[in-house]
Structure formats: C-alpha cells, structure tokens
Amino acid sequence: MSVAVGLDLGSTSIKTIFVKGDRAIWRGVAPTAPGQENVARSLINDGLSACGLTRGDISAVASTGYGKKLFPSADRYIDEISANAAGAFKMSGRQARTIVNIGGQDLKVLFLGSDGRVEDFRMNDKCAAGTGRFFELVARLLDTPLSGFDRLYEAASGDVEINSTCVVFAESEIVSLMARGIKKEDIAGALYASVARRIAGLLGSSSEGGAIYIDGGPAQNRALANALEDELMTEVRVLEAPQYTVAYGATMMLEGGD
Amino acid sequence: MTSGVTNARNERIFKKTSDQISSETARVLETLRSRADYTREFDYFLELAESGMTPEAAETRTGLTTIKLLCVQAPLELIHAAGFHPFKVFCGSNAACNLASRGLPALACPMLRSVIGAAKLAQSSSESPWVLPTTCDWVVKFPEMLAISDVAGEPDSIRVHWLELPHLKDRDDGQRRWIEEIYNFKKFLTSDGRRIKRAALAESVAIYRRAWQALVRLSDLRREGRLSSIWFMLMTGVFFCDSPQNWTTAAERAANSQMTPALRGAKVFLAGSPIFFPNFKIPFLLEEAGLEVVSDDLCSSERIFPGSVACGDESEFGLMSAMSQSYHQGCVCPTFIDNDRRINNILGRMKGAGFKGVVFHVLKGCHPYDLESFGIETKLKDRGLKFIRLETDYSGEDSRNLNTRLEAFRQTIRED
C-alpha cells in the first residue's frame, strides 16, 4: 500500500497525517519539543504501526509549518499558507473561499479563488492574542482542560467582556475577573468573544459573503465557530479534523514539486 | 553617590550595547563575505561598512567637514560645491535602537531611534550642523528626540538648518517656495564667508552625475540578475561614507568586473520604508523565501539621490533651478501630498520587467509609508499584480512569521 505522509511542524505541536489517495487513514499529534525531527519520526513510526505498514509503503513525505526544514529527509517543503489552502479547499469540497486558521502562535486569514489558489492572505504579527497559546494560557488560569471549553461557553451569560487584546494584559484581566468572583463560564464566553473580535479585525471587510471555514487546533472547540458567527453574522464552518488541515494539504501538494 | 551609580550603570549599558552593535555588524559582514557571489570588488564597500559609518569617519576619509542630513531632499551638489561633505546619517542597528528606546515614544521611527542610540554611544565629536527637510513628523521632532535622549542639550542648542519642504510639489507656488529654500540653504552654507562659485557648482553636478550613472549601471546589473540585491543595498548604503568620486570609482570597477550571478528567484519590486546596514533582515528573508529583488524605490537604495541634475542652462540660476526641481518634483517621498508619481514609477518599472509582485516594507512607526501602502496595494491589485505588506521593526523575533508570509507570497506569484 502506498501512502503519502504530511508533517506539520508547528510552533506548539507536530501533526502527522497518512493519506492514501485523498483519504486520511491515520492522524497523530505530539507537542513540539527539542529534537523535532525525532518527534516527527516517532509519530511516523506510530502511524506505520497503527496502519500495519512499513517504511517502504511511504511514497513521499511533505513537510510544512514553522519547523518544516527541521525534517531534512522530507521529499518536499511546502509553505504552510499554501498547504492550508490546499487542504481546506479539498476538505470543503472545493467550497472554501475564506479560511481562518488559528495556529499555536499565529492567526491567518486566507482568501482563495474559485480554483483554490491563494489570492491573498493576512497574518497577525508578533502578538499571540487569539492563538492556541492564548487558549492554553486561559485553560491553565481557569484550571479547565480545553476540551471543556465548549461546555463553559454554552453556559456563558455574555455579560462579561475581556477588553485587552494583548495576552499579557488579558491574563491580568482574567485574574482580576476571577478575583471578583466572575464565573468560569462567563470568562470563557468573554474569551471567545474577544478572539472573535480579533479575527474579525484581521478579516476586515474582505470576506465577500459565503461561509467562512476555520481550522487549526483551537477550531476543535465548536465554541470558537459560534462566537465567530455571532461576531461576523455569517455562517462559520469547522473543517473536519481541523488541526490536521495543513498537514493534509501538504500531501495534496506533493505532486508538482518545488 | 546616586549619580556615580547612574554613571556606572550607564557605562555598563553602553558597553553591552556597543558589544551588541559590533556583533550585529560582524555577523552580517561575515555572512556577506561567505556568500557564493562575493567578489573582491565588494571589499571597498565592506570595508566602509566595517570601519564605522559615522560623520566622523567620513570626515577623516574625505578631509571635509560634514553636513549631517536626514532624508534625501537637500541637494548634495550644493553642499559639495560649498566644500562640505554631505553625510546622510542612518543606522540599522537593533541594539542602538533599543538603547534609544528608553524615554522615547514606543512607536517612534526605528531608524531615528537607532541613529539616536548610536549617537548616545559615540558621544559625537562632530560639531557639524544638521540639515533637516520637514518631511515626516519624526524628522520634524528629531532635535527634540535628541534632547530627550540626552544626546544634546535643549533642542535650540542643536545646530539645525531646516529646509521647509512644500508638500504640494506640483503646484507653482510650492516650487517657487522650494527654490527660495534652496537659495536660503546656499546662504546657510556660505554663512562663514565661503563662496559657492558657478564653476564649482557645475563641477559638483558633474561629479554626482557620474555617481548617478554608476548607480544606474548597478541597477541594470541587478535587473539582469548579475548583481544580487544584498550587494546593491550594501553599495548604496555606504554611499555617504566616502567621497562621491571614490565611491563612483569603486562602483564602476565592480560593474566592470566579472560578477557571479545573483541567487535567482521569483522577481519582485521592493517598495516602502528604507533599509539600512546592518539591518538586512528583510533582504535576507526575501532571498531565503526565493524572492529576488530586481528593483526598488527605497530612499536607502535606488533613491539615495534623485538622479542626474538635468540642466541645459549652466548659469548659476539654471543650475540652482535644475537642482531644486530634481530634489523636489523628482522625489517620491510619501510625505508629499501629490505623489502619483510614486505609483506610476512602480508600474512603469514593472512593465516589461518580468515581475509581478511588490513587497512593501513598512517600519513600525513609519506612518507615511504605512498609509501610502494601502492606496498602492489597491492600485496594484486592480492591475492584477501581487502585493504583500510587511510591517516590521529592527528586531529579529518576527523572522519566522515574515518567512512564512514571503514563502506563501512567492507561491502566489509562481502560480500566476
């Protein structure tokens, strides 16, 4: 059996996907740690074991993400914006025109043409507000795993606001809210609303109707899509296995060579 | 006691900053010298960068008192004809920028912060005057920034000659006022009794015309892919560190030499805020992402001076008028109100040059370029051209983020 392997060496986690044809047959993730090449190799070995495959079954490896070049034996290095576009376009059934990617340390907005090519994109700069790191920090403050954030958001009253856009100040603001006895649910609600405002700011007025697709780790929580819908007043769709869209897209780009 | 502690602390801060600047400079020089396209013809420019890009160093090399400049509107020919050496003060050091950041607005222009930081360290011995055109807000406030930063006493104590720049350059009254400014500038240059003779002015025009011709040759080589943008930027970056004659000779020698072709990539035009040595972050990142700058409109690079002063009338008035026009109407600084020439320049240079994208560099705090980028983006995109805006500063911490954007940008160009 011949499989393509997509590696997304991101700032907070390394995502690996095995793709046969255009179907994902295995996915694995590990936190980014020193020795990223070894972490990636270990993930690939996990995938081979899980699928009952050998190294000889791997047709090619596509590497993307901030650390893409740290996997020197990749067959192709692909920039993560192009990989994201390719993955989201394919997974949305060629419907996606506007994609919001919430990464570990950055936010990206991609605008695609009807053929799936990237027509334009925007990225936040040094600020980590609204990124995966931001969510992790709040999870620690609230002592609640990220998987529990959907439940918190559902129960939020919507009466509380987080005004700081900077992670550091937002942290102080959240600590202050907790000290005032504000419920976790309301803080989570305020967090999502704040992130949604930030994404809306990055989108600007460029989204020309149609659904907005979101992916990246934090998109695994439906709460983000709901908050974004409330902010943008447009349909927001979460791509399947949103954490892996970029790795998947990298395998889609293996043909064509760099 | 307190002041003794403060002085000791300052000494440590200055020592640390000085070491960091040396290290920044050495790192870039080492990278340049180890490039595959390095040739001995670049040594002159590397040595100028290495041996201190200060007014004092330029005074030693040229034997002339410098006139310290910011921006590109003061006619170099006039300064030269008066027997001074025009020196555009600049600095690209992040460490110097950080040093000056204490006490200045957080979003102050990084280039001016860097200049101020370097001046703090140098304890400048040069008493030469500043000539400042009233371009952007930061330049207008520069003497105050120097005073706040303890580089100088009260703003009034700094020797500054202001060139009041008419920001509507295509209007007759603006042009008339500018000529008056240039005549006032001449008076300022000759206030110590020296004279600017017509023959000296004509000779200076000829000297800078030759320098311009050398610059055009280098630009052509870059466009043809025979000279990489990194070298081009180094060569233009050190233009003011020596006499124009010496620089021109070295530039001509380099242009005549057998150069190793530049690293090839997708061809782009670089616009926006200036880039100064040793802050070559953007040029290096562009190369890393597979983008080849074949032309630019930076006032630190292709626009270090406005071009050859075209003059059919070699009378003193003819020369003065031609100079005024060249440095005013010919300038595409974004601080001008009527600046359509800038976008037309970009479009004109892109036509037939085989490149489809513009990388627009905005230094954080550089508001005129920041604002102008939006209009240029719209006009370029309306013509089907690709555009990317990079807002950054002198620090290296956003390098990966910028690299991600540039790689994706290259992909969008390639797909077209």
Side-chain angles (χ1 to χ4, degrees), chain A residues 1-5 19-20 54-62 75 254:
Chain A
M1 183 160 70
S2 172
V3 293
V5 174
V19 177
K20 182 170 169 48
T54 66
R55 285 193 176 279
D57 292 316
I58 297 175
S59 58
V61 177
D75 295 284
L254 271 167

Side-chain angles (χ1 to χ4, degrees), chain A residues 81 84 97-102 106-112 118-124 198-204 206-207 212-213:
Chain A
I81 290 174
N84 197 163
R97 297 292 180 273
T98 306
I99 302 155
V100 175
N101 175 279
I102 303 105
D106 59 33
L107 270 179
K108 303 183 196 81
V109 174
L110 282 64
F111 302 103
L112 310 189
V118 179
E119 289 195 337
D120 202 359
F121 57 89
R122 288 174 198 162
M123 233 173 129
N124 66 330
R198 187 165 174 78
I199 293 170
L202 198 60
L203 263 166
S206 300
S207 175
I212 288 171
Y213 290 78

Side-chain angles (χ1 to χ4, degrees), chain A residues 1 29 40 42 46 53 84 107 171 178 184 194 196 208 242 246:
Chain A
M1 183 160 70
V29 63
S42 171
D46 290 349
L53 301 172
N84 197 163
L107 270 179
E171 181 181 8
M178 290 167 74
K184 281 183 184 183
S194 144
E208 292 175 7
V246 181

